[in-house]
Amino acid sequence: MAKQKNQIEENAAPIEGAEAFLGAEADTTALTSQQEPATAPAPAPSPEKGEKKSVAEEPDSYTLDVLKSFPMNESLYVDKHGGAFTADTPKLIRGNAVLYKNPFYKK
């Protein structure tokens, strides 16, 4: 069987400036290959496993309201959305919550 002709391919005109675009692309690749590779910044020191957890000093009013709701916990992790987590909650669950000492704690 013979290949059927596509009318779109026959009527399509060459794209103007395609050669200029391809030439510009080749120029930029030549320029980037001449540049020196950037040095990677030194990684921040990771906290040691034996390091004590930091406790926030000054909770804001919203955090105080959350802490007031849980007087049976001596310390709580509170996140920016108002979620409260006990001290033994895994980091994967509590995310970026901050540990606060509960001023409303009752034994």
Side-chain angles (χ1 to χ4, degrees):
M1 272 172 86
K3 181 181 172 187
Q4 293 182 351
K5 293 184 180 181
N6 190 349
Q7 292 179 353
I8 296 173
E9 290 179 5
E10 291 176 1
N11 295 337
I15 300 172
E16 294 180 19
E19 297 82 22
F21 177 73
L22 293 175
E25 184 177 314
D27 291 342
T28 57
T29 56
L31 290 176
T32 55
S33 64
Q34 293 175 356
Q35 295 176 350
E36 293 181 18
T39 58
S46 60
E48 296 181 22
K49 290 186 179 185
E51 189 175 315
K52 187 167 177 134
K53 297 175 185 175
S54 63
V55 178
E57 297 296 324
E58 295 290 326
D60 60 351
S61 63
Y62 184 75
T63 304
L64 285 173
D65 290 340
V66 173
L67 292 172
K68 190 184 285 187
S69 300
F70 298 96
M72 62 281 194
N73 296 89
E74 185 175 1
S75 60
L76 282 174
Y77 283 98
V78 180
D79 65 2
K80 64 181 179 180
H81 302 290
F85 307 96
T86 59
D88 61 346
T89 305
K91 179 159 177 58
L92 185 64
I93 295 173
R94 62 180 157 85
N96 291 331
V98 178
L99 181 63
Y100 291 98
K101 188 168 275 262
N102 193 348
F104 306 103
Y105 174 65
K106 295 179 184 175
K107 291 184 180 184

